[in-house]
Amino acid sequence: MFYVSKAMTTAPEEYKTPLQKKVYKTLAELKIYFERVDTDEAITMEDCVLINKKLDMDMVKTLFLCNKKKTLFYLFITTDHKPFDTRRFCEALGISRVSFAPRELFEDILGTKIGAATVYSVLDDWDRTIQIVFDEEVTAMEYYGCSDGTTTGYMKVKTEDILHKILPYSKHKYKIVSI
């Protein structure tokens, strides 16, 4: 059975990645309340069902996309139940074709491995390489559930804290699209 700890409101005692450490340091600095759980390694949205129940929220799906030349990068954040439609995504942004970014760019650009893509990667993206794109359904949700930069740590924060505290702190603008 997939392991999910009890919900906690404190940072982990030990950090597994530099990004995870930066996430909790930033949450403390910005005084953002969170709840979190430790889990077995979660890679798929199916793994997140028990996490959703424990934290009483719905995990977002975060896709790391790039153009053909791998010079433009997008974090598309949508609901866990919505399939990704490349054509509609590109039309909504007025861009040419995108594809999933290759595995090696996850660590280089996001500071995570596959399965741990998270909006918190903007905390290491001071050059603003990553363009953040939200599905409008996500921005309407009260809570935002996502990875803490690992595949074994997941958290819940208020969506407004992501939009109005984390992203401005990182100096990232974002777009909201209807797909």
Side-chain angles (χ1 to χ4, degrees):
M1 182 164 177
F2 187 77
Y3 169 75
V4 180
S5 73
K6 65 179 178 126
M8 299 169 267
T9 58
T10 58
E13 290 183 20
E14 293 182 30
Y15 298 107
K16 296 178 181 172
T17 67
L19 178 60
Q20 184 189 41
K21 183 177 182 178
K22 189 170 281 188
V23 167
Y24 289 102
K25 179 179 175 253
T26 303
L27 293 172
E29 186 177 324
L30 298 177
K31 296 176 177 47
I32 295 174
Y33 176 81
F34 63 89
E35 291 180 44
R36 72 172 186 88
V37 293
D38 292 325
T39 69
D40 286 336
E41 187 168 50
I43 302 295
T44 67
M45 292 310 296
E46 289 78 31
D47 293 336
C48 296
V49 172
L50 292 172
I51 299 168
N52 289 348
K53 285 182 183 176
K54 188 72 73 157
L55 291 175
D56 191 26
M57 53 87 202
D58 289 320
M59 190 75 56
V60 298
K61 179 168 45 178
T62 305
L63 305 175
F64 185 39
L65 309 165
C66 65
N67 65 352
K68 187 176 181 179
K69 294 180 183 180
K70 297 178 185 73
T71 56
L72 298 173
F73 300 94
Y74 305 88
L75 265 185
F76 177 50
I77 302 157
T78 188
T79 61
D80 64 346
H81 66 272
K82 196 179 275 191
F84 179 59
D85 184 329
T86 306
R87 183 185 57 78
R88 290 186 67 205
F89 176 82
C90 293
E91 284 174 2
L93 292 177
I95 59 174
S96 18
R97 192 174 117 81
V98 296
S99 60
F100 291 99
R103 175 179 293 252
E104 63 272 8
L105 292 179
F106 267 75
E107 283 193 35
D108 289 347
I109 295 175
L110 296 183
T112 67
K113 62 184 193 174
I114 289 180
T118 179
V119 71
Y120 294 117
S121 291
V122 299
L123 298 173
D124 275 337
D125 183 40
W126 294 105
D127 295 332
R128 292 183 285 291
T129 304
I130 306 166
Q131 296 179 49
I132 308 298
V133 182
F134 287 96
D135 183 313
E136 71 178 345
E137 286 184 44
V138 171
T139 62
M141 296 174 9
E142 181 177 8
Y143 291 104
Y144 186 97
C146 66
S147 160
D148 66 0
T150 69
T151 56
T152 58
Y154 294 86
M155 61 177 21
K156 163 184 163 175
V157 298
K158 289 202 170 262
T159 302
E160 66 185 34
D161 288 337
I162 297 293
L163 298 174
H164 303 297
K165 291 181 181 178
I166 295 291
L167 292 172
Y169 174 83
S170 71
K171 305 210 182 325
H172 279 76
K173 294 184 185 327
Y174 59 89
K175 292 182 182 176
I176 299 172
V177 296
S178 175
I179 296 185

